[in-house]
Amino acid sequence: MTGMVEIPKIEEAFTLQYYEALHHLMPSVTDLRAQAAMVMPLLKGRTLWMVNSTAQGGGVAEMLPKMITLLEELGLETRWLVITTEERRFYDLTKRMHNLIHGEGEPRLTDDDRALYDRVSRENAERMEGLIGPDDLLVIHDPQPMGVGALLKERLGMPLIWRCHIGLDEHLPQTRVAWSFLERYADGYDHAVFSAPEYIPDYLAGRATIIHPAIDPQSHKNRDLSPHKLVGILCNSGLKHDSHPVLTPPFEQRAQRLQRDGTWGPAVTDGSQIGLLYRPIVTQISRWDRLKGFAPLLEGFVRLKKRTDDPARNYDERHRRRLEIVRLVLAGPDPSAVQDDPEGQEVLAELIDAYRRLPERMQHDVVMLSLPMQSRKENALMVNALQRCSTVVVQNSLREGFGLTATEAMWKRKATIGTYACGLRQQIRSGVDGALIKDPSDADEVADKLDRLLQDPTLRSVLSRNAQRRVFQEFLIFGQLGHWLQLLAQTVEETAST
Ligand code: UDP
C-alpha cells in the first residue's frame, strides 16, 4: 500500500523464454514477439496501468499478474493498482451490480447507491492522480473501478479502456438497470473490451472489441502430466489407492467422495475404487451453481446407463460393455470453502439428495467429489488430473459467461460437450470441436449426446483434436496478449488524432 492505493505484489511467473523453449508453444511466442516489435514504438515511454478491485480471489486477480509479467518482458512498463475503500457498503453495492449484469437480484439502484459509488470513485481517483501521467495508458477492469477511470480521464486525458469480464446475452430489467447506471461513466472511455459480442451494451457499440478469456498452457491446471505425475497426483489427493510407493507425499487435504448415506468420506477405500485410470469416465467440474446444470447431467447419465438393459437398443458388445462400466464424476469445491454462498450450499444439498435416491448399483457409478480449495496448486493439479482421466468432459451450463472448464478440457484434447450457453458456443462449434446440447435441462438429450460420443471413438478423436487446435489458435494467453497490444496501439493512435 502507498497512501491508500494498493499496489499488489506480483509473484514470479513464467517468462516468454520458458514458453518458447517448448516446441509447440514456440510459434505462438514468436508471433507475439513480432506483434510487440511492431507496436512497441508507439507504446514506448508510456506506463500501462491495470486497475481492478481485488488483489486476491477471482479470475481477474489470477490473470493480471501473468499478463503484467509478460507485457513487461515484451518491453511495456505495466503496473497494477487496486481500488480500496473503508466503506464496506461499496462492496455490497458492486456485488449487487455484478449480479444485476448477470440478470439476478432486485432491479433497482438508488440515488444513495450512486452517491456512494461516486464518493468511492473520487477518493480513489484522487489517490491515483499523482501516479499516472497524461501519456500513460489506463485499463480499468470490471464495473467497480469504472467511475475512477472516468474521473482520471477528465483530469489527465490519457487513453482509457474498460475491460468488462462479465455479461449476459439477454436483456432483462436487471441488466437494463445496471447498464443504465454505468452509462455516464462509459462516456469517458475510448474503448471497451468484452468476452462476447452479445454482452456489449448499445451505448458502447462501435467502441467495443472482443477479447476472449484465455488459459496458460503451463499452469498447474493445464500443463502436461507424465503418467508418473498423473498417478502421483491421484494417489496424493486420495483419488486412487496407493498400492505402490509414490515419490511425493500426500496432499495436506485430500479429495472427498460423497458416501451412500449422504456424508463426505474418503474418495477411495480398499473395497471401493473410482477406476479413474481404467474405466470410461464422464466428468463435469464446476462450482455448485444451479446454472451449471449438474442435476440434469446426473439424470441424463442415469438414463444412459439404463439403456444397457434395453434390448431395443442395437448396441454392439463393446458399447454395451462401455455403458456398463462408465462412471460419472461430478466435482466441485469443498462445501466448507463455499460457506458464504448459501445458494451453492442449497444446490449441493439437492444434488446430495438426488444421489441418495439413486439405486445402490447406480451410486457406485456416480462419483461426487469435493475438492479441497486450501491449496490453489493442489486443487489445480486435481482438476488437471481428473480432466486428463476423462473420456468425455461435459459443461452442461444453462448460462455461462465463458466457461474456462471447457477451454481447459479442449486444451487437453478431450471430447467436450457444452451447451448453447453464450460462453460455450463462443468456444465449441458443434460437430467440429465438440458437441453442444440444445436444452441442458433435457436429460434425454444429455443422454443422447453422451451416448453418441461414447459410442464413437473416431468421432471423439476428431472432435478432441480440433478442440485442442481451436484453443491453441484462439484461447491461449499469447494470442490474448497480442490482441491487447494491438488494441493499446490503436487506442493511442486514435486518441492522438482526436
Ligand atoms: N474450478 C476449480 N476447482 C473446482 C471447481 C472449479 O479449480 O472445484 C475451476 C475450473 O477449473 C475453472 C474455474 O474454476 O478454471 C471456473 O471457471 P469457469 O469460467 O468455467 O466458470 P465460473 O466459475 O467462472 O462461472
Side-chain angles (χ1 to χ4, degrees):
M1 297 256 208
T2 59
M4 281 298 290
V5 179
E6 186 176 356
I7 305 178
K9 191 172 165 323
I10 296 181
E11 303 290 335
E12 247 174 71
F14 293 132
T15 60
L16 284 170
Q17 251 179 6
Y18 171 82
Y19 292 107
E20 76 191 336
L22 298 162
H23 78 96
H24 62 300
L25 298 181
M26 190 175 69
S28 308
V29 179
T30 306
D31 279 355
L32 176 60
R33 285 193 195 279
Q35 272 176 313
M38 276 172 56
V39 301
M40 220 39 96
L42 260 174
L43 303 178
K44 262 265 137 30
R46 300 169 188 264
T47 301
L48 167 63
W49 297 89
M50 298 280 201
V51 178
N52 79 323
S53 64
T54 173
Q56 242 162 24
V60 179
E62 217 164 282
M63 175 213 71
L64 277 177
K66 202 157 285 175
M67 265 183 95
I68 292 171
T69 317
L70 295 182
L71 286 170
E72 285 257 319
E73 198 185 341
L74 289 166
L76 179 61
E77 195 174 315
T78 309
R79 298 284 175 267
W80 181 9
L81 299 175
V82 171
I83 59 162
T84 59
T85 179
E86 303 280 291
E87 297 206 57
R88 302 306 307 164
R89 286 189 314 129
F90 176 75
Y91 298 103
D92 299 333
L93 164 63
T94 53
K95 173 80 186 157
R96 265 191 291 138
M97 217 183 304
H98 179 100
N99 290 343
L100 289 174
I101 292 179
H102 284 121
E104 311 282 337
E106 191 198 343
R108 203 166 84 97
L109 291 169
T110 63
D111 289 347
D112 273 358
D113 291 331
R114 169 85 63 198
L116 171 64
Y117 186 83
D118 287 345
R119 203 162 53 241
V120 173
S121 300
R122 262 195 315 275
E123 279 169 32
N124 278 279
E126 274 158 24
R127 291 183 213 133
M128 289 180 189
E129 205 177 330
L131 296 171
I132 301 171
D135 290 328
D136 287 347
L137 299 153
L138 185 55
V139 174
I140 300 284
H141 292 264
D142 282 334
Q144 300 92 331
M146 197 180 183
V148 180
L151 286 169
L152 288 168
K153 175 79 169 180
E154 259 172 47
R155 292 174 196 178
L156 301 168
M158 73 280 131
L160 176 64
I161 296 175
W162 186 47
R163 192 350 167 176
C164 182
H165 295 269
I166 54 180
L168 184 69
D169 56 338
E170 271 177 81
H171 293 289
L172 299 172
Q174 285 86 345
T175 57
R176 273 191 281 275
V177 164
W179 287 119
S180 84
F181 184 92
L182 294 172
E183 182 168 1
R184 69 175 69 168
Y185 312 109
D187 283 348
Y189 283 71
D190 299 303
H191 219 90
V193 178
F194 289 85
S195 299
E198 289 85 340
Y199 301 161
I200 303 171
D202 289 346
Y203 54 77
L204 281 168
R207 268 188 294 159
T209 301
I210 305 307
I211 300 183
H212 292 300
I215 58 166
D216 172 358
Q218 287 305 110
S219 66
H220 293 303
K221 197 171 287 176
N222 295 309
R223 67 180 156 91
D224 263 348
L225 297 174
S226 69
H228 278 75
K229 273 243 162 69
L230 176 67
V231 169
I233 293 164
L234 294 179
C235 291
N236 295 161
S237 61
L239 290 167
K240 185 186 178 318
H241 201 59
D242 42 2
S243 43
H244 283 275
V246 291
L247 185 64
T248 43
F251 289 170
E252 222 158 276
Q253 287 197 312
R254 307 184 126 211
Q256 302 256 293
R257 178 176 179 178
L258 189 70
Q259 310 291 305
R260 291 190 43 228
D261 64 0
T263 60
W264 294 97
V268 297
T269 58
D270 283 345
S272 154
Q273 298 272 332
I274 304 175
L276 288 168
L277 293 172
Y278 307 95
R279 294 168 182 262
I281 299 285
V282 174
T283 306
Q284 174 163 303
I285 306 173
S286 275
R287 287 180 296 108
W288 306 112
D289 184 316
R290 205 178 308 282
L291 296 176
K292 299 293 182 185
F294 274 116
L297 171 59
L298 170 59
E299 178 55 28
F301 180 78
V302 168
R303 290 189 195 179
L304 173 70
K305 292 284 280 191
K306 285 189 183 148
R307 291 182 183 180
T308 326
D309 307 322
D310 178 358
R313 302 257 168 199
N314 243 344
Y315 293 146
D316 62 25
E317 246 340 279
R318 173 65 65 88
H319 190 50
R320 203 170 284 281
R321 173 80 178 140
R322 191 179 281 124
L323 292 189
E324 249 166 44
I325 65 170
V326 65
R327 286 193 162 166
L328 174 69
V329 172
L330 300 178
D334 173 357
S336 65
V338 292
Q339 256 161 1
D340 58 348
D341 174 12
E343 207 210 306
Q345 299 281 357
E346 196 182 298
V347 172
L348 185 55
E350 284 166 18
L351 279 169
I352 293 176
D353 210 42
Y355 177 80
R356 293 187 70 184
R357 280 186 273 112
L358 294 176
E360 184 178 341
R361 202 183 98 199
M362 206 63 90
Q363 285 180 327
H364 290 297
D365 290 334
V366 174
V367 181
M368 282 186 54
L369 292 176
S370 144
L371 305 181
M373 301 295 288
Q374 230 116 329
S375 158
R376 298 301 300 178
K377 175 180 170 183
E378 290 174 2
N379 180 274
L381 289 174
M382 283 184 239
V383 172
N384 191 342
L386 283 170
Q387 287 171 335
R388 287 189 191 279
C389 289
S390 307
T391 317
V392 174
V393 174
V394 187
Q395 190 56 56
N396 190 42
S397 302
L398 283 74
R399 270 192 205 154
E400 193 59 79
F402 189 69
L404 283 169
T405 47
T407 334
E408 291 155 9
M410 291 164 77
W411 175 246
K412 297 180 180 85
R413 237 168 107 176
K414 293 294 155 187
T416 308
I417 302 183
T419 67
Y420 281 91
C422 188
L424 295 170
R425 67 173 189 257
Q426 311 288 317
Q427 302 184 58
I428 302 172
R429 294 161 301 178
S430 201
V432 179
D433 348 84
L436 293 182
I437 293 170
K438 289 201 181 72
D439 179 1
S441 57
D442 177 354
D444 282 319
E445 194 195 344
V446 172
D448 286 344
K449 284 278 172 347
L450 287 174
D451 202 1
R452 173 89 182 88
L453 252 67
L454 285 170
Q455 199 162 29
D456 190 343
T458 312
L459 175 66
R460 284 204 305 277
S461 113
V462 170
L463 296 180
S464 55
R465 191 186 67 199
N466 292 348
Q468 190 181 46
R469 200 173 54 241
R470 176 124 173 106
V471 176
F472 187 79
Q473 288 168 346
E474 302 287 338
F475 309 123
L476 291 188
I477 41 170
F478 315 107
Q480 186 193 42
L481 285 172
H483 277 137
W484 269 108
L485 288 172
Q486 270 170 15
L487 176 65
L488 291 168
Q490 181 194 328
T491 312
V492 165
E493 266 186 335
E494 282 171 7
T495 48
S497 59
T498 50

